[in-house]
Amino acid sequence: MLGFFPAGGLAVTDATAAVTVEQSAVTGITPTGGYGIALTSVDGAARIVSRGARAAFLLDISGRYGRALAATRGALSPQDIAGTAVTRLDVVTSPRTAVSFSADGLLASRLGLRATNDLTARDPFLQGRVIYALGSRVGFTATTTPRSYARFEAGYTQAGAVAADHPEAVGLDSHAVLGSASFSWLAGRRFRLGPIVRAGYTHFEHALLDVDLTRGPADVTTVSGLASATFEISRRIRGAAALGMTVASPPTFLKDESSGVIAPDARIDARYAGHGYGIVGTYGFSYSSLGPRIGFGAQHAAGLEMWSRPRGGREFRSVIARGILRFRHGEAPLATQPRLGSPAGTPLPEGKFVTTAVAAGGSLGIPLATGLILTGGVDLELINMRFEPDPTGASAPTFRTMVTVAISAIGSTDPMRRVPRDPDLQDQDARPAVLDEEEARAAGGAAGRKGTTEEDEDAFYED
């Protein structure tokens, strides 16, 4: 371990690196028929965490590249390309204020997207794209009273493609500017309430405009107001909920600029981490982007993540089973061609684009030796879309299965990270220690949390 932190002050820095070799069998069904691929991929990842009393830094990068050893006719873009980068800096600037800076990026081919990726990244129209997404955010938190704090955030995101089967599908798809303000008040020992206000402006270069697949620029402005509540029933049971409304500018094809969109906005988050397993469930309904090449619409989104360690104790602590399920269903209004015989000036009839996406994945990691893990997994994906009415015949589902066997070599300056960490412990990696102390004090548990994270983790695995 190193005792240096770039922002100044004594800290502990750990570096972890991993190399993974994967062999996958992929089968799928597309509108043109079925296909199969035998795929070999190599994955590299690095994670640097520096955590001090009043500052913390995180850098997490990974990249994967694979090619098909064999592929049947009809296999689309048989290249496994994926890369992610996440960086975050948190600094407690005074006893009452803190700032945070974060940036992240994604690069992926169609085959490189897995169940762990956001479903909105999946373009149901063009399979042969290598997409990218970039984002950055700055936040400021101020403690207003001993029982309340305010937080302000501003960010920018961009999405597009660096390569595609069709030249017109390369380049910028959309970019957005986002801002939010929230206030949180400790209403009880483990219960917080407060309002949230969000505003955003999104520009689409290739939004869907009508059911004939006409694309063009579109601008959407949104303002959301929500009432939020977070609660912590115990140290291992947490939940959050937010309910409100979103007001947005009207769809592009509507000539009446005064006809804005008013839609409900609701989000629920619940999580539990027990002895050897954890569950996280989320659900949300919002008027938001259905994809960088689609536009805004009303959508339901849900997710369920589970992990378990089937065997306890130190000798088997790296045996871990994980599962993930994602669901998204969205509807966006579109224009249609005028009906024959309609008087001049008659508004265009309204059509609809409907998309449904489901992704599921599961894996089991088995230790061969310290820092050497054998993993087997399966990844499923179903995407369906339709137009109402459907003059183009473009509506068709796609289905993909991927069975993977991989072996990973992990090295780290911290022996604790040479085996997979529990997902609920990952959140503690890049937080200034003073924030943990403040949260423990607010919950009345400072006396019971004097041990370090490593000590807590050791006790967690003892039989």
Side-chain angles (χ1 to χ4, degrees):
M1 297 184 183
L2 305 176
F4 172 75
F5 184 74
L10 182 65
V12 175
T13 299
D14 291 302
T16 303
V19 176
T20 303
V21 178
E22 298 181 353
Q23 181 64 53
S24 304
V26 185
T27 60
I29 300 174
T30 68
T32 59
Y35 66 90
I37 303 174
L39 184 70
T40 296
S41 306
V42 177
D43 184 298
R47 183 181 179 92
I48 299 175
V49 178
S50 191
R51 192 169 187 261
R54 309 189 71 82
F57 174 77
L58 166 70
L59 175 63
D60 197 339
I61 58 176
S62 66
R64 185 177 65 247
Y65 180 76
R67 293 187 63 89
L69 299 178
T72 63
R73 181 174 297 180
L76 301 176
S77 300
Q79 288 190 347
D80 182 9
I81 301 174
T84 61
V86 176
T87 182
R88 180 181 177 95
L89 174 64
D90 289 271
V91 180
V92 178
T93 53
S94 76
R96 291 182 174 270
T97 60
V99 295
S100 63
F101 307 90
S102 62
D104 57 84
L106 167 70
L107 179 71
S109 64
R110 189 65 187 83
L111 191 59
L113 292 170
R114 307 293 170 84
T116 53
N117 298 116
D118 193 336
L119 293 180
T120 57
R122 290 159 168 79
D123 189 330
F125 301 100
L126 297 175
Q127 300 292 324
R129 306 183 76 217
V130 179
I131 63 171
Y132 75 87
L134 302 171
S136 61
R137 179 171 295 182
V138 58
F140 174 78
T141 303
T143 301
T144 53
T145 71
R147 299 177 64 89
S148 64
Y149 68 87
R151 180 164 177 83
F152 305 89
E153 289 189 350
Y156 172 81
T157 60
Q158 180 182 125
V162 297
D165 291 340
H166 303 281
E168 65 271 15
V170 178
L172 177 68
D173 288 333
S174 68
H175 58 99
V177 179
L178 308 170
S180 67
S182 61
F183 180 80
S184 180
W185 175 63
L186 185 64
R189 184 177 178 182
R190 300 177 182 269
F191 186 64
R192 285 188 171 273
L193 296 171
I196 301 174
V197 178
R198 297 191 180 101
Y201 169 80
T202 305
H203 173 76
F204 295 91
E205 287 286 344
H206 311 288
L208 278 177
L209 302 181
D210 58 39
V211 295
D212 295 303
L213 294 180
T214 302
R215 295 183 181 274
D219 298 312
V220 180
T221 302
T222 61
V223 177
S224 302
L226 303 97
S228 68
T230 61
F231 55 89
E232 185 178 349
I233 298 177
S234 68
R235 186 179 175 185
R236 299 197 176 277
I237 302 177
R238 293 176 291 165
L243 179 63
M245 302 290 292
T246 295
V247 179
S249 55
T252 303
F253 65 88
L254 292 181
K255 295 182 179 180
D256 186 1
E257 296 295 334
S258 64
S259 301
V261 175
I262 300 178
D265 195 315
R267 305 180 188 188
I268 301 173
D269 179 303
R271 58 190 64 208
Y272 173 76
H275 186 81
Y277 63 93
I279 303 174
V280 178
T282 61
Y283 168 77
F285 177 82
S286 62
Y287 183 77
S288 55
S289 174
L290 302 184
R293 292 178 59 86
I294 299 174
F296 267 57
Q299 68 172 318
H300 300 266
L304 181 65
E305 296 185 43
M306 299 171 288
W307 65 269
S308 174
R309 293 191 181 270
R311 299 288 299 272
R314 291 183 180 276
E315 295 181 4
F316 302 97
R317 63 184 301 166
S318 56
V319 175
I320 184 168
R322 294 181 177 178
I324 183 171
L325 175 64
R326 293 179 183 269
F327 170 81
R328 179 174 65 93
H329 176 82
E331 298 183 2
L334 299 176
T336 62
Q337 294 296 328
R339 297 186 179 92
L340 293 177
S342 298
T346 301
L348 294 178
E350 187 173 304
K352 182 167 47 175
F353 169 73
V354 182
T355 176
T356 302
V358 180
S363 66
L364 177 65
I366 303 174
L368 302 179
T370 301
L372 195 63
I373 309 282
L374 177 66
T375 304
V378 61
D379 193 276
L380 308 176
E381 176 189 272
L382 173 65
I383 298 178
N384 185 46
M385 68 173 184
R386 72 175 189 274
F387 292 89
E388 299 178 3
D390 186 5
T392 64
S395 302
T398 62
F399 179 71
R400 185 190 73 189
T401 66
M402 178 181 294
V403 179
T404 301
V405 177
I407 186 167
S408 303
I410 305 173
S412 178
T413 57
D414 182 0
M416 301 285 292
R417 289 173 173 81
R418 294 175 190 168
V419 295
R421 286 169 63 79
D422 295 344
D424 63 314
L425 295 175
Q426 290 278 23
D427 295 339
Q428 301 176 11
D429 279 348
R431 285 167 51 87
V434 68
L435 296 183
D436 293 335
E437 297 169 2
E438 289 297 328
E439 288 186 358
R441 188 176 298 108
R449 296 187 62 182
K450 292 182 179 179
T452 64
T453 300
E454 287 78 9
E455 290 171 347
D456 289 342
E457 189 177 7
D458 287 342
F460 185 80
Y461 290 109
E462 292 291 351
D463 287 332

